[in-house]
Amino acid sequence: MKLRYPSILALCMLASASVLSAQKLSPSITKKIDALFSEYRMPDTPGCALGIYRNGTLVYSRGYGCADLEHAVPIKPGSIFDIGSTSKQFTAASVILLQEDGKLSLDDDIRKYIPELPDYGHTITLRHLLNHTSGLRDYLGLLVMAGYTLGDVVGSDDVLKIITQQRGLDFEPGTKYVYSNTGYVLLGEIVKRVSGKPLREFAGERIFAPLGMTHTMFVDDHSMIIPNRAIGYEGTNGGGFSRSVSTNDQTGDGAVHTNVEDLLKWDENFYTTTVGGTTLIRELERRGVLTGGDTIGYAAGLEFGSLHGLRTVGHDGAIRGYRSQLLRVPSEHLSVAVLANYRGIDPNEIAVRIIEIILADHLPNVTPVAAVRPTPHRMVVKIDTAAFDAYTGDYEMDESPGFIFTFRREGDHYFVLGPGQPPDTLFPESDSLFAIADDDIKFLFHHPPAADRMSLLQGGEHMAHRVTVKAVPDNLAPFAGTYRSPELQTSYTLVVENGKLVARHQRRAPVTLTPKQTGGPPLFAGDNWLLKRVIFDRGKDGVVNTMLVSFARNRDIRFEREH
C-alpha cells in the first residue's frame, strides 16, 4: 500500500519533529539520539515513540513517524501502543498483590484455581508460570496448529479450552526455562477467579489508577475505541505497508496498551514502591531457580541482563505490527522506553544504543554508532561469498529439537529457510552476522570459518547447532493418510503429490514435508513453522499409525492415524 499524498503526509514529519517534553539532556546528546531515528522520521513511514527517564523525570520524549498512515496522524509521546509481552510484568504484579492480600501463594498448585487442568503427574505452581518453567505448551502455536488464523477473534474461553485439552508437558516443571505465553494467560485467569474481577479491572484499580497511569489498560475487547492509538504495520512485497493489529481478546500474556508518558510512572515505582511496597518489587525481581540449582535470567515478567558491566532489567514485546521495550539501568536510575508500530523496528537495539550514548563517559571503550541500521533498508556489508559457504547447511535449535533452519547461497545472494515463511533473503552486517529485512531477526555464526554453532537473535539469544540431515525414505506411500489429534481436535491429511509428502488442513495452506534424518525413526521437516518436526511411529504390524508433531515452543503433539 503506497501512500500518494506527500503534502498531507508531511504533517507526520513536522508534528513528530517537535520535542514535547522539557529537554533536560544536552543538545549534543539529543542530536545523537535523534540520529538513531533518521529512517523513521520519513513522512510516509510508521515509527516509534521514545521516552527517556532519569531520576524519576521524563528527560526526553519524542515521536518519530506516523501513528496512522491513512490519516497522516503523527506519533507523539502520548500515542498509545500495544506493548505485547512487555505487559507480562503487570500481570505478575497483579498476582503478587493478591499474595500480599493473603488470597493466594505463589507456591500454590495452579490446579487449586484452575481445576479443569489435567493432572500431569507433577505439581505446577504459580511461580513456575511466572518464570516460564512450567513445561506447559505455548497456546499460540497450538491455536495455529488447530486451524486458527491471524484474522480470527480469540478470547479467553478459546485459549483455556485448548490449554486444558493438552495431556502432556514439554518437560518436568522446574527443570528448564522455556518461554511460554500459556503461563501468563493462566495467571490472568487466576487473578479473575481469585479477585472476582477481570484482569483489566483489577490492574486498573490496584496498579494503573494509584500510579496515575490514566492512559494505560489491559484491552480485552479488540473492537474498543482507543483514542490516540497508533496503528500497527508490517511491510508488503511491493515495498509499502499494511495494517497489522491483534484480534486477540485474552489478557495476561499481553494486551496492555499504554504510552511512554505513563510508563515513566510504572518505572519509577521500582524506586518509590508506591504500589505494593518493597515486597512487590522484591518478588517481581526474584529470579527463577531451576530444580538443579541454576538461577535463570527471568523473574516475574522481567528479564535480567548486563550492558558493559551494568545490570539491566527490562522486557521486550512483539504482537503483529507492534514492538516494544522498557529497559532499566537501576544503578544509574536511567530507563528507556521505545514503543514502535512497525514490526521491522528493533526497540531493544535502539534502547541499548541510547543508554550507550547517555552513559558514554561511564562506559569505557564504547563508541556509540551514528544510527540504528533500519529495515528494510539495511546497511549491507560486502563479504566474500565463499566465506558464507562455511555456514550453509542445517542448524537445529537447542531448545526445540527438530526445529531446523537451513542456510544456502545462490551466487552472491544468501537465504534462510526457517519458521514462518518460505526462503528469506539474508543481508550481511558483518562476516558472521546476518539479518532478515523487514524483521527483527538476526543470525550470528560462531567459530568461523567452520561454524558449528549459530545464535538466533530475537528478544534474546537462542542457540542452535549444526546437524547433518539426509533424505529418507524413498517410498512415501506408507506415511499417507489422515491423522487426528484429540488435544487439538483437528486433523491433517497427508498425501503424496508429485513425489512429495504434503500435509493438508481445511483452514491452512498445504505444508510440504521433506524427509530428513539425524538418526532414529523417520523424521520430516515442514516448509514453514507448522509441522516443523514430524516423527512417525510404526505399530507392531509395521504400519505407520502415529505421528508426533513439534513446532515453535511445543513438542511431540500426538496425532493418531484414522482407519
Side-chain angles (χ1 to χ4, degrees):
M1 181 181 67
K2 278 290 187 181
L3 300 171
R4 304 175 181 175
Y5 305 98
S7 60
I8 296 177
L9 290 171
L11 293 173
C12 287
M13 182 169 61
L14 292 173
S16 63
S18 60
V19 178
L20 300 179
S21 68
Q23 182 173 318
K24 299 178 181 179
L25 299 176
S26 70
S28 62
I29 287 180
T30 58
K31 183 177 180 180
K32 292 177 182 178
I33 291 172
D34 286 341
L36 297 175
F37 299 90
S38 59
E39 290 292 328
Y40 305 118
R41 296 168 64 183
M42 303 300 290
D44 58 350
T45 67
C48 46
L50 167 67
I52 301 175
Y53 319 140
R54 194 80 190 267
N55 298 319
T57 301
L58 182 63
V59 296
Y60 195 66
S61 64
R62 192 164 183 174
Y64 305 88
C66 277
D68 185 338
L69 292 174
E70 292 181 79
H71 300 97
V73 178
I75 292 175
K76 301 177 181 179
S79 298
I80 305 296
F81 293 78
D82 184 340
I83 62 172
S85 289
T86 306
S87 310
K88 286 182 169 66
Q89 56 200 289
F90 298 108
T91 303
S94 298
V95 174
I96 294 168
L97 288 173
L98 285 172
Q99 178 175 255
E100 291 186 26
D101 294 342
K103 294 184 177 180
L104 56 74
S105 167
L106 299 185
D107 296 313
D108 284 341
D109 186 332
I110 61 174
R111 297 185 72 241
K112 177 179 179 180
Y113 308 104
I114 307 180
E116 61 267 38
L117 277 171
D119 183 352
Y120 295 111
H122 301 281
T123 299
I124 301 174
T125 68
L126 275 66
R127 201 178 298 277
H128 286 142
L129 302 183
L130 287 169
N131 297 331
H132 300 293
T133 58
S134 69
L136 291 166
R137 295 164 176 162
D138 193 302
Y139 81 90
L140 290 172
L142 297 175
L143 286 174
V144 176
M145 188 70 186
Y148 282 80
T149 65
L150 289 177
D152 291 336
V153 176
V154 177
S156 296
D157 290 344
D158 300 306
V159 175
L160 282 174
K161 180 180 178 181
I162 203 162
I163 291 173
T164 56
Q165 286 172 182
Q166 303 308 301
R167 293 298 180 262
L169 299 173
D170 280 355
F171 54 86
E172 182 178 337
T175 61
K176 295 181 181 180
Y177 163 80
V178 176
Y179 194 93
S180 175
N181 290 286
T182 293
Y184 275 78
V185 169
L186 293 178
L187 289 170
E189 181 66 18
I190 289 171
V191 170
K192 176 181 177 181
R193 295 186 183 188
V194 172
S195 71
K197 299 177 180 180
L199 181 58
R200 172 178 54 81
E201 291 184 20
F202 183 87
E205 294 175 3
R206 297 291 298 274
I207 301 173
F208 303 143
L211 292 177
M213 300 173 68
T214 57
H215 301 288
T216 303
M217 71 175 75
F218 275 99
V219 175
D220 53 13
D221 180 356
H222 71 282
S223 65
M224 288 179 61
I225 301 299
I226 302 177
N228 300 318
R229 172 159 51 177
I231 304 301
Y233 295 96
E234 60 183 71
T236 65
N237 291 334
F241 303 98
S242 62
R243 290 169 61 100
S244 181
V245 297
S246 173
T247 54
N248 291 2
D249 288 340
Q250 86 289 342
T251 58
D253 60 326
V256 167
H257 288 55
T258 188
N259 59 33
V260 298
E261 296 171 335
D262 269 13
L263 284 176
L264 163 67
K265 301 167 185 177
W266 168 250
D267 183 78
E268 188 59 15
N269 192 63
F270 283 85
Y271 302 96
T272 64
T273 68
T274 301
V275 168
T278 58
T279 301
L280 173 64
I281 305 306
R282 183 174 62 250
E283 288 292 352
L284 281 172
E285 296 187 341
R286 187 190 300 275
R287 292 165 61 180
V289 179
L290 302 180
T291 53
D294 292 338
T295 299
I296 63 175
Y298 200 95
L302 297 172
E303 295 173 310
F304 289 78
S306 176
L307 179 62
H308 305 295
L310 298 176
R311 173 175 170 264
T312 62
V313 185
H315 205 296
D316 62 340
I319 179 71
R320 299 299 300 274
Y322 297 97
R323 298 291 185 269
S324 62
Q325 174 62 276
L326 174 58
L327 187 62
R328 181 164 53 256
V329 184
S331 64
E332 302 294 326
H333 205 147
L334 169 67
S335 299
V336 176
V338 180
L339 309 183
N341 66 332
Y342 175 49
R343 66 170 293 175
I345 294 176
D346 184 351
N348 185 63
E349 180 183 11
I350 294 173
V352 167
R353 298 286 176 81
I354 290 173
I355 290 171
E356 289 178 338
I357 290 171
I358 295 175
L359 300 180
D361 293 339
H362 304 280
L363 302 175
N365 303 319
V366 174
T367 304
V369 298
V372 173
R373 289 183 294 276
T375 55
H377 312 291
R378 286 192 179 273
M379 182 185 300
V380 179
V381 175
K382 185 69 174 178
I383 68 169
D384 181 358
T385 55
F388 186 79
D389 292 341
Y391 309 136
T392 58
D394 297 292
Y395 294 77
E396 184 176 50
M397 301 304 298
D398 291 358
E399 63 189 46
S400 300
F403 208 68
I404 296 172
F405 286 90
T406 301
F407 297 87
R408 70 170 188 256
R409 176 174 70 87
E410 295 179 5
D412 58 355
H413 297 284
Y414 316 105
F415 300 93
V416 59
L417 173 62
Q421 298 292 336
D424 282 301
T425 300
L426 291 173
F427 296 89
E429 296 189 350
S430 75
D431 58 1
S432 60
L433 181 65
F434 298 81
I436 296 177
D438 194 26
D439 215 324
D440 55 357
I441 298 176
K442 297 181 183 180
F443 300 95
L444 175 65
F445 293 92
H446 302 271
H447 312 302
D452 58 2
R453 300 287 289 173
M454 179 271 291
S455 294
L456 186 156
L457 306 177
Q458 185 186 37
E461 184 173 12
H462 309 276
M463 297 299 298
H465 58 280
R466 187 192 291 274
V467 293
T468 301
V469 299
K470 57 182 179 181
V472 293
D474 296 328
N475 183 15
L476 299 175
F479 304 98
T482 298
Y483 298 80
R484 181 168 182 79
S485 168
E487 294 177 294
L488 300 178
Q489 295 188 4
T490 197
S491 298
Y492 281 79
T493 299
L494 275 55
V495 297
V496 179
E497 296 179 351
N498 301 319
K500 297 181 178 180
L501 189 63
V502 178
R504 294 189 172 277
H505 186 278
Q506 61 181 353
R507 295 203 69 198
R508 308 219 62 85
V511 178
T512 299
L513 300 178
T514 301
K516 292 192 174 182
Q517 192 64 34
T518 58
L523 181 148
F524 288 70
D527 61 359
N528 67 17
W529 72 278
L530 281 177
L531 291 87
K532 195 59 188 176
R533 181 187 69 166
V534 180
I535 295 178
F536 291 93
D537 186 30
R538 301 178 187 270
K540 294 181 180 179
D541 57 2
V543 176
V544 174
N545 55 19
T546 303
M547 70 175 186
L548 299 176
V549 178
S550 298
F551 52 94
R553 303 183 183 110
N554 300 284
R555 297 183 61 182
D556 296 335
I557 307 296
R558 192 176 187 87
F559 285 75
E560 299 289 347
R561 188 173 191 168
E562 296 182 341
H563 297 285

